[in-house]
C-alpha cells in the first residue's frame, strides 16, 4: 500500500502560505496560529532545534502532535514515511507534554484516558493512563478515529486474509477485536465515526473518483454520499460542478452535529458534509 505523507498539507502547516490563509476560515487560522505559538518552542526545547511538529491528531484537551527529528531536505516518495515522536497539546491551556520521545510512530490518538499509538510496522498499541501498554491489532494502515465514548476506534486496514482489497475500513475495540466494515475494490480509507457511535463515514475510490460513503458499525452495505455519477475523466481540466473534494486525512475531521462532519479538504479549505443527505459545502467564512 502506498502511504501518503501529508505533512505539507496538514492543518498545522496549512497556514504558512498566503494563498492558504486567504481561503481559511478565520477561526481555523486562529487555531493554527495558537497551536504553533505553543508547540514550536516546546518542540525545540524537548527535541532540539531541528525538530518540527508536522501533524495534529484530534481536538481539544486530547489533541496530540506528531514530531519529526528534522524536515528532510529532499521530497519523500509516497512509500517513505518519516516516523514521529508524540506530544500532547491542550488547546484550552496551551500546555504541552511529551508522550513518547522515540521517533517510531505513524499516528496517535487519544481514546478516553488512554493513547493509541500506531508504529511504522502497522502495530497498534494502547497505552493506558497507568503507563501499561498492550497490543491491540496488527495490519493497521492508519487513519485512526476514536468513538466519542472512547471504547473503540475506526481505522484503515491493510490487505490480509480477512479483507482482499488494497485497504479496507474496520473498527477495533479495546479488547483488540477487529471487524471489517467496508472492503470494496481499490482503496477504502479515511473513516470517521459519528458521536452516537453508530454511523461510519469513509472515502472510497471504487467508482474511480474519491467519494464519501456511509455504513454503520454492523457493516451495512455502503451507500455513496458524494460525487454520484462522476467518473475520473470528468475531472480533467478541473473539478466539475458539484464535485466534493475528499479529506486530506482523518486527523482533521470533526463532528459539529449529530449528522454533520467537518473536514480539511487541503489548501486551507474546510468543508461540511451532512452524512444523512450527502449535502456538502465549503466552510470558508465567519466565526466558529
Amino acid at each position: 500500500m502506498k502511504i501518503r505523507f501529508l505533512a505539507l498539507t496538514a492543518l498545522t502547516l496549512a497556514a504558512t502560505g498566503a494563498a492558504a490563509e486567504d481561503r481559511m476560515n478565520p477561526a481555523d487560522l486562529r487555531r493554527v496560529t495558537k497551536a504553533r505559538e505553543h508547540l514550536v518552542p516546546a518542540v525545540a526545547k524537548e527535541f532540539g532545534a531541528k525538530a518540527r511538529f508536522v501533524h495534529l491528531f484530534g481536538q481539544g484537551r486530547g489533541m496530540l502532535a506528531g514530531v519529526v527529528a528534522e524536515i528532510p531536505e529532499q521530497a519523500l516518495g509516497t512509500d517513505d514515511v518519516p516516523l514521529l515522536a508524540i506530544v500532547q497539546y491542550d488547546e484550552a491551556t496551551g500546555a504541552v507534554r511529551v508522550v513518547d520521545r522515540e521517533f517510531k510512530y505513524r499516528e496517535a490518538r487519544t481514546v478516553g484516558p488512554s493513547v493509541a499509538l500506531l508504529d511504522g510496522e502497522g502495530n497498534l498499541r494502547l497505552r493506558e493512563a497507568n503507563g501499561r501498554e498492550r497490543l491491540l491489532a496488527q495490519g493497521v494502515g492508519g487513519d485512526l478515529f476514536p468513538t466519542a465514548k472512547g471504547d473503540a476506534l475506526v481505522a484503515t486496514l491493510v490487505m490480509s486474509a480477512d479483507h482482499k482489497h488494497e485497504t479496507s475500513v474496520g473498527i477495533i475495540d479495546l479488547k483488540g477485536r477487529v471487524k471489517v466494515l467496508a472492503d470494496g475494490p481499490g482503496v477504502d480509507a479515511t473513516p470517521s465515526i459519528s458521536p452516537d457511535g453508530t454511523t461510519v463515514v469513509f472515502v472510497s475510490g471504487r467508482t474511480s473518483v474519491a467519494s464519501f460513503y456511509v455504513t454503520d458499525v454492523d457493516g451495512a452495505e455502503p451507500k455513496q454520499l458524494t460525487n454520484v455519477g462522476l467518473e475520473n475523466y470528468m475531472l480533467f481540466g478541473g473539478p466539475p460542478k458539484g464535485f466534493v473534494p475528499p479529506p486530506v486525512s482523518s486527523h482533521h475531521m470533526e463532528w459539529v452535529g449529530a449528522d454533520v462532519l467537518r473536514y480539511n479538504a487541503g489548501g486551507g479549505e474546510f468543508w461540511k458534509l451532512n452524512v444523512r443527505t450527502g449535502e456538502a459545502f465549503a466552510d470558508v467564512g465567519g466565526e466558529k
Side-chain angles (χ1 to χ4, degrees):
M1 179 182 68
K2 290 187 178 297
I3 302 167
R4 299 162 296 166
F5 177 44
L6 298 172
L8 297 182
T9 56
L11 173 63
T12 54
L13 300 182
T16 57
E21 289 186 14
D22 289 342
R23 292 191 298 270
M24 185 173 281
N25 183 309
D28 293 311
L29 183 57
R30 289 195 299 271
R31 191 178 188 185
V32 170
T33 301
K34 181 180 177 182
R36 292 179 63 85
E37 288 174 353
H38 294 288
L39 280 165
V40 169
V43 166
K45 178 181 177 181
E46 296 289 347
F47 297 93
K50 291 185 177 181
R52 297 288 187 274
F53 82 95
V54 292
H55 285 291
L56 291 179
F57 304 116
Q59 294 91 29
R61 294 177 60 86
M63 182 179 288
L64 301 172
V67 178
V68 293
E70 61 181 298
I71 298 295
E73 293 184 2
Q74 302 294 327
L76 298 178
T78 55
D79 290 328
D80 297 321
V81 178
L83 297 180
L84 309 170
I86 304 297
V87 300
Q88 187 170 38
Y89 165 61
D90 187 330
E91 276 195 297
T93 66
V96 179
R97 73 172 183 87
V98 176
V99 174
D100 200 305
R101 292 183 178 278
E102 291 192 69
F103 295 96
K104 66 177 186 179
Y105 299 106
R106 189 182 301 164
E107 293 182 22
R109 290 294 291 257
T110 54
V111 188
S114 303
V115 177
L117 297 160
L118 178 64
D119 69 21
E121 303 300 317
N123 301 307
L124 180 64
R125 291 182 168 84
L126 188 73
R127 183 173 298 174
E128 298 172 349
N130 58 16
R132 287 184 296 191
E133 190 171 298
R134 54 191 173 88
L135 181 67
L136 272 187
Q138 295 177 297
V140 179
D143 296 326
L144 306 177
F145 199 106
T147 60
K149 293 181 179 179
D151 57 355
L153 304 100
V154 287
T156 298
L157 309 176
V158 297
M159 187 185 300
S160 76
D162 297 326
H163 36 103
K164 307 297 184 181
H165 297 105
E166 186 175 353
T167 64
S168 61
V169 167
I171 187 167
I172 306 166
D173 70 19
L174 298 194
K175 293 183 178 180
R177 294 174 295 201
V178 180
K179 181 178 182 179
V180 175
L181 302 178
D183 185 21
V187 173
D188 288 343
T190 325
S192 179
I193 189 164
S194 62
D196 65 5
T198 62
T199 301
V200 176
V201 181
F202 65 97
V203 176
S204 178
R206 60 183 71 185
T207 64
S208 79
V209 176
S211 307
F212 278 102
Y213 283 72
V214 63
T215 181
D216 60 29
V217 293
D218 294 322
E221 183 66 24
K223 175 186 175 183
Q224 187 174 359
L225 287 175
T226 61
N227 302 327
V228 177
L230 294 184
E231 297 184 34
N232 58 357
Y233 74 87
M234 298 177 181
L235 275 64
F236 297 156
K241 182 179 180 180
F243 174 75
V244 177
V248 295
S249 76
S250 63
H251 313 313
H252 310 304
M253 301 166 75
E254 60 181 326
W255 293 82
V256 294
D259 300 331
V260 179
L261 182 69
R262 187 171 184 269
Y263 68 94
N264 184 355
E269 294 185 356
F270 278 71
W271 279 60
K272 286 182 178 178
L273 168 70
N274 186 305
V275 303
R276 306 298 174 194
T277 66
E279 180 185 8
F281 55 91
D283 182 25
V284 295
E287 298 293 318
K288 180 184 174 185

